[in-house]
Amino acid sequence: MVSPINPTDPAAVQALFNQIAPHYDTLNHWLSWGQHHIWKRMVVGWVNPQSGEVAVDLCCGTGDLTGLLAARIGTTGQVWGVDFSEPMLAIARRRYAHRPIRWYAGDVLQLPFPDQSVDVVTMGYGLRNVSDRHHCLREIQRVLRPGGRGAILDFHQPHDPWLRAWQEWYLQQVVVPVARRLGLGAEYEYLWASLQTFPPGAQQVQWAQDCGLNACHYPIANGLMGVLVLHQP
């Protein structure tokens, strides 16, 4: 089934996330069997945030990764959550009102941070959804200080054809029908459409290197997910 939502149209993607915000956490937890919390903790482990550092979580959604960063960095540093969906940020603000996190509604392609002002950048399920992925990586490179670290978690198309077929079956025959019962069928059909245009890990690494970053890509969850790990020389 072809999604009516165009993955290259920023306004359409923003409207999608505004629409799914109330159900986002519940569906993520159910559809990943709760594993997304493990993967996000792995992301934080790769960037190893330290007390007193400045960290930015891009496409932060309802704030899972942002909250994990804040727990590690404490009150002597600063953590930002950036997202273009106000409904998502509203949920994040309520969930983490007890944390000194700053929330910013804006475009990750135009970050409001000076050059070389950030120690850590994370992103969970965001790079696949931006209109210009290469430019997003350039922005990350711009704001990271020398020695800064980044980690980007997203879906990954497995090399194994059987796993790839299972991934398609699961997304199309389980995820979409469940979402459809909540009136979100078209929104979650978009997930499969966006995955078709998302490059494999080797291409992501090449893009990051073209931007001046050191990079490695690690498939996780049997290759169904992947983490692009970045380092600013």
Side-chain angles (χ1 to χ4, degrees), residues 144-207:
L144 276 178
R145 291 179 175 136
R149 296 89 66 201
I152 298 172
L153 168 69
D154 218 310
F155 281 89
H156 181 259
Q157 295 192 57
H159 297 299
D160 186 306
W162 291 102
L163 277 173
R164 195 179 309 122
W166 182 89
Q167 183 184 60
E168 179 177 6
W169 173 85
Y170 185 70
L171 291 174
Q172 298 284 53
Q173 303 302 320
V174 178
V175 173
V176 171
V178 168
R180 191 177 290 125
R181 293 190 190 101
L182 297 170
L184 301 171
E187 286 78 4
Y188 274 80
E189 286 164 15
Y190 159 85
L191 195 160
W192 178 249
S194 67
L195 185 56
Q196 303 316 295
T197 68
F198 197 49
Q203 181 63 63
Q204 295 175 44
V205 167
Q206 186 60 59
W207 282 354

Side-chain angles (χ1 to χ4, degrees), residues 8 10 14 19 27 30 42 47 51 58 64 66 105 116 186 222:
T8 64
Q14 183 178 29
Q19 176 73 15
L27 281 169
W30 188 84
M42 291 172 68
V47 294
S51 176
L58 303 179
D64 280 351
T66 329
Q116 298 187 357
N222 292 319

Side-chain angles (χ1 to χ4, degrees), residues 22-89:
H23 307 284
Y24 185 72
D25 288 321
T26 300
L27 281 169
N28 272 0
H29 186 78
W30 188 84
L31 296 170
S32 72
W33 306 295
Q35 297 300 297
H36 71 105
H37 293 299
I38 296 172
W39 304 329
K40 289 168 183 173
R41 287 195 292 271
M42 291 172 68
V43 166
V44 173
W46 259 304
V47 294
N48 191 26
Q50 302 295 308
S51 176
E53 289 189 322
V54 176
V56 177
D57 183 27
L58 303 179
C59 301
C60 66
T62 57
D64 280 351
L65 270 171
T66 329
L68 291 172
L69 292 171
R72 292 278 293 270
I73 286 177
T75 58
T76 58
Q78 183 60 63
V79 176
W80 290 82
V82 178
D83 203 284
F84 66 176
S85 171
E86 283 282 10
M88 289 281 194
L89 288 175

Side-chain angles (χ1 to χ4, degrees), residues 213-233:
L213 293 161
N214 295 333
C216 295
H217 187 273
Y218 299 96
I220 59 174
N222 292 319
L224 298 171
M225 303 288 158
V227 179
L228 179 65
V229 178
L230 308 169
H231 183 265
Q232 177 83 294

Side-chain angles (χ1 to χ4, degrees), residues 99-131:
R99 297 281 189 194
I101 298 170
R102 297 183 184 179
W103 306 100
Y104 178 80
D107 188 349
V108 297
L109 301 182
Q110 298 179 17
L111 295 176
F113 308 111
D115 295 358
Q116 298 187 357
S117 62
V118 174
D119 299 291
V120 167
V121 171
T122 57
M123 179 184 284
Y125 304 106
L127 188 62
R128 177 173 41 85
N129 297 313
V130 299
S131 59

